[in-house]
Amino acid sequence: AAIASTDMGLLLRDDVFVDFFNTFLNLPVFGQTPIYISGVGQWNLWPELSSHLDPNPTALLAWLEKHRLPHFCKSSLCLHLVLCQKLLGFIRSGEAAELLNWQSADQWLLEKCISGSQGMQHFRAFVQGTAGEELTDFWLTTERLLGLDESDMSQRDLYLSLIHRLKASHLREGSSVITLCTTITGSLPKAKHIQSISNRRDILRKMQEQALSMIQSYWLPKFFTHCKMGIEDQESCQPLLQEYQERLLQADWQEPSGFSETPPMMHIKRSQGLSGPYCSQKAKAKIWALVKEGRGTQEMKMPSFQVKPERQPGSAGSTRESHLDKHALGSIPQQSEHPANSAFDGKGGVTPPRRPSAKQVSRLEDLCKEKILSNLPSSAPLVQLPSLKGSARTLSFLPWALSADTCAGRPFRDFLQHHDRPVETHLLDLWHDLEEFLPVVLDSSRENNFFLRHLNSDKICKTYLEEDNIEKLPLETRTLTGLWNHLIFGEFSPWIFRAQKEICKVLCCFYEEFLAADDRTFLQFMSPGGDVPMPEMQGHTADRGKSFLLSQRINQTLKLSQALHGTRNLEGVSSEYWQLLASRDLQKGGSTQAEMELLL
């Protein structure tokens, strides 16, 4: 709420805000995806405006404040920004210096390591698999919950969903949160009987403060030690290490305020002689083709492993498993139960079970989508799905855009609701819920996997697949049956990808309308007089090398946002983290630009 009510010009003076906001702005659900280089006060637009226009930065800020900032404030990136600001506030405080015996150089190094969306990804990867991960998840979920008004019917479903998530994962006996907050939560078992909403909120707020205090006083110092050891070992970080050592000798060094005191004059980079009509849909199709081309340059090899759900706590029997080797990708499993003793290696032999890495899980999702969708049998549809002859290019990148919609505060969903499309909104909700179920069911190593897997699958079954609700879904009967047969047991099902593909066919033309409306609004703000005709569907010329880097920037931004949101697995800390840290400068594009420096 504080961010939403702050002037955009003032927000952009905070380099940490700029980093998170740039990550958000480059998510591929939107039409216009600009980036702000705060060190020189320059906005780079994409797609670029025609060269005859002389865009005004004031108009751009007004457009951002009205048509981007409200969605940012509902995104997981904004939650991570708030947490990052609280951690930075502690790092810069006299309390931290006294409590942890930090010198100003230590504060500078830790601030550099944790600032921005990549810094928070690094921190979350560091605490992964520890009590620190659960405390961080709890803080983020509670922050989102406390920002909602449960008496507002439009927020009621999300509020209840978050309450159920907290109960299933953090507010249960034995959790790290309950163990930490025992002195506060004595009344929690009876919380459902508390009539006062304010009492319930007060309890959660106090628990959140306790969790934050533990993150600040215990996990931040451990992260600092980890970062110091990392930069000492990595050759790419030697300049950073040298600057840190020099600052240790500067006792009078002043800690930064986090704000640019005298920001440079803001301006928009002029287009490179472009004269065609402005059309983000056409430009996005070209960029997506380059993203796919970039993927195609690396040979995709399917690792042999099983996806093994956690055993139900307290049970002694075997668990249901979904074995996914390369032979299973071409057809739909006919039975829900599979042998639990071994995994096949594809050559007839047997390999011992092993836990998939985060990269393998992400690769599995990509492979499943590519292989399964091309081999699923057709069936008689419940209703006739729309013909998409004229929208084939949009359909090809729509899953990419919808994944970004999940991380971006769901602007496409708001568009559907605003245009009174309840069926399409319901379908989009199903697409998002399936997307969030996948990483939980495919990676049994996730914290609270068993509880979250069944919480998510139960929600999908009750909301979309039970008899009263299934009639609302214009999907094929066999697809819906396939989903039900597996999700009712909390299992992975390849029918998830089939359902998402069918949903995309229904939503494709509405997404094109969304992009056209986004273009129209942007041009009205940016053009003198605001009277701009709808652009024709013509090409948007750009240098191929520049376009390829742009495609990678947007795709890497999506991966980073998915990792923070939870729809992509956080990878373990690797040498790439240190390379990104060495090249990251918040005033020169920050997290978004660091990926490009690494590519170059």
Side-chain angles (χ1 to χ4, degrees), residues 39-261:
V40 294
Q42 177 174 289
W43 283 99
N44 297 337
L45 304 180
W46 184 83
E48 294 179 339
L49 290 169
S50 297
S51 54
H52 72 276
L53 292 176
D54 186 15
N56 184 344
T58 304
L60 178 63
L61 294 191
W63 171 77
L64 287 168
E65 194 166 309
K66 185 171 182 179
H67 295 283
R68 290 293 186 267
L69 189 61
H71 297 299
F72 174 73
C73 291
K74 294 190 290 185
S75 71
S76 53
L77 283 167
C78 187
L79 293 176
H80 281 85
L81 166 63
V82 175
L83 178 58
C84 184
Q85 288 174 330
K86 289 188 176 294
L87 296 181
L88 289 173
F90 175 77
I91 292 168
R92 295 165 181 162
S93 69
E95 176 192 356
E98 183 178 346
L99 179 68
L100 302 169
N101 198 28
W102 280 343
Q103 298 182 48
S104 58
D106 298 326
Q107 294 171 315
W108 170 84
L109 180 62
L110 182 52
E111 185 173 335
K112 185 168 181 62
C113 291
I114 207 168
S115 291
S117 48
Q118 271 180 355
M120 287 304 294
Q121 183 192 28
H122 190 171
F123 177 73
R124 295 207 60 189
F126 169 72
V127 299
Q128 187 173 212
T130 70
E133 178 183 18
E134 185 179 341
L135 293 174
T136 304
D137 284 340
F138 171 74
W139 191 95
L140 292 165
T141 303
T142 305
E143 182 71 10
R144 183 77 177 102
L145 180 72
L146 294 176
L148 297 174
D149 179 4
E150 62 183 288
S151 63
D152 183 347
M153 292 308 297
S154 66
Q155 301 181 28
R156 181 74 175 170
D157 287 346
L158 177 58
Y159 180 86
L160 293 176
S161 175
L162 293 173
I163 284 287
H164 292 150
R165 183 181 180 87
L166 281 177
K167 287 181 178 179
S169 53
H170 304 302
L171 303 182
R172 57 180 180 81
E173 198 64 36
S175 74
S176 298
V177 174
I178 292 296
T179 302
L180 173 67
C181 304
T182 302
T183 56
I184 300 173
T185 58
S187 61
L188 263 191
K190 301 176 184 179
K192 61 184 178 181
H193 301 302
I194 298 175
Q195 298 300 314
S196 170
I197 293 174
S198 61
N199 285 353
R200 199 179 311 138
R201 285 179 171 269
D202 286 344
I203 291 173
L204 281 175
R205 191 172 287 108
K206 289 177 182 177
M207 292 177 68
Q208 187 194 29
E209 290 171 358
Q210 192 81 357
L212 178 62
S213 177
M214 179 60 72
I215 293 169
Q216 291 172 333
S217 61
Y218 182 78
W219 291 104
L220 264 184
K222 290 179 75 70
F223 180 65
F224 173 62
T225 303
H226 154 80
C227 289
K228 275 209 305 185
M229 294 174 63
I231 65 171
E232 288 170 359
D233 293 342
Q234 293 292 324
E235 186 176 346
S236 60
C237 291
Q238 289 311 298
L240 184 62
L241 177 62
Q242 183 178 348
E243 185 174 356
Y244 168 64
Q245 291 170 341
E246 290 173 356
R247 286 177 179 272
L248 282 173
L249 303 175
Q250 300 174 11
D252 60 343
W253 177 75
Q254 296 295 314
E255 62 187 47
S257 65
F259 279 81
S260 303
E261 297 298 335

Side-chain angles (χ1 to χ4, degrees), residues 23 27-28 121 291 295 298 362-363 366 400 407 552-571 595:
T23 304
L27 287 170
Q121 183 192 28
V291 170
R295 285 180 177 177
Q298 302 175 355
S362 296
R363 179 64 54 80
D366 292 339
W400 189 50
C407 307
Q552 296 305 302
R553 183 184 92 192
I554 293 174
N555 201 42
Q556 291 301 323
T557 294
L558 175 57
K559 289 181 179 180
L560 172 57
S561 301
Q562 287 175 321
L564 293 177
H565 184 76
T567 47
R568 174 177 289 268
N569 286 55
L570 282 163
E571 298 174 3
E595 295 277 3

Side-chain angles (χ1 to χ4, degrees), residues 352-541:
R354 64 176 185 236
R355 190 171 73 186
S357 70
K359 282 189 176 180
Q360 287 175 324
V361 172
S362 296
R363 179 64 54 80
L364 173 66
E365 293 184 38
D366 292 339
L367 270 165
C368 283
K369 289 178 180 178
E370 290 188 15
K371 299 291 185 183
I372 292 176
L373 290 180
S374 63
N375 290 282
L376 283 175
S378 60
S379 61
L382 180 66
V383 296
Q384 187 65 42
L385 292 175
S387 172
L388 298 169
K389 291 180 181 179
S391 303
R393 295 183 72 181
T394 303
L395 185 62
S396 69
F397 67 75
L398 185 54
W400 189 50
L402 295 187
S403 291
D405 187 56
T406 305
C407 307
R410 303 196 176 180
F412 181 42
R413 186 185 192 277
D414 288 351
F415 173 82
L416 292 175
Q417 280 193 311
H418 180 72
H419 287 79
D420 194 23
R421 307 298 306 194
V423 173
E424 290 76 15
T425 303
H426 195 59
L427 278 176
L428 181 60
D429 288 342
L430 173 57
W431 198 99
H432 286 314
D433 286 342
L434 292 172
E435 186 81 350
E436 296 191 354
F437 174 68
L438 275 173
V440 177
V441 74
L442 289 177
D443 184 9
S444 62
S445 67
R446 283 198 167 207
E447 186 76 21
N448 300 309
N449 171 276
F450 177 83
F451 299 101
L452 291 177
R453 181 158 48 86
H454 285 277
L455 177 71
N456 290 356
S457 60
D458 288 349
K459 176 190 174 184
I460 292 170
C461 288
K462 290 177 181 177
T463 306
Y464 309 101
L465 302 178
E466 287 188 346
E467 189 173 350
D468 292 342
N469 297 315
I470 202 167
E471 295 177 1
K472 303 176 186 176
L473 298 174
L475 303 180
E476 295 183 1
T477 307
R478 190 171 182 179
T479 302
L480 296 170
T481 304
L483 283 178
W484 173 267
N485 289 341
H486 288 80
L487 294 184
I488 194 65
F489 298 112
E491 294 177 340
F492 166 79
S493 169
W495 288 104
I496 289 173
F497 304 121
R498 176 65 181 229
Q500 287 186 314
K501 184 178 182 181
E502 291 179 17
I503 291 170
C504 283
K505 286 184 177 180
V506 176
L507 296 181
C508 187
C509 61
F510 296 99
Y511 181 67
E512 290 180 344
E513 291 178 15
F514 166 76
L515 287 181
D518 196 53
D519 286 356
R520 208 162 32 234
T521 304
F522 178 67
L523 291 173
Q524 286 170 354
F525 272 82
M526 300 306 296
S527 302
D531 185 18
V532 180
M534 275 303 296
E536 302 169 17
M537 290 293 291
Q538 295 181 9
H540 190 88
T541 58

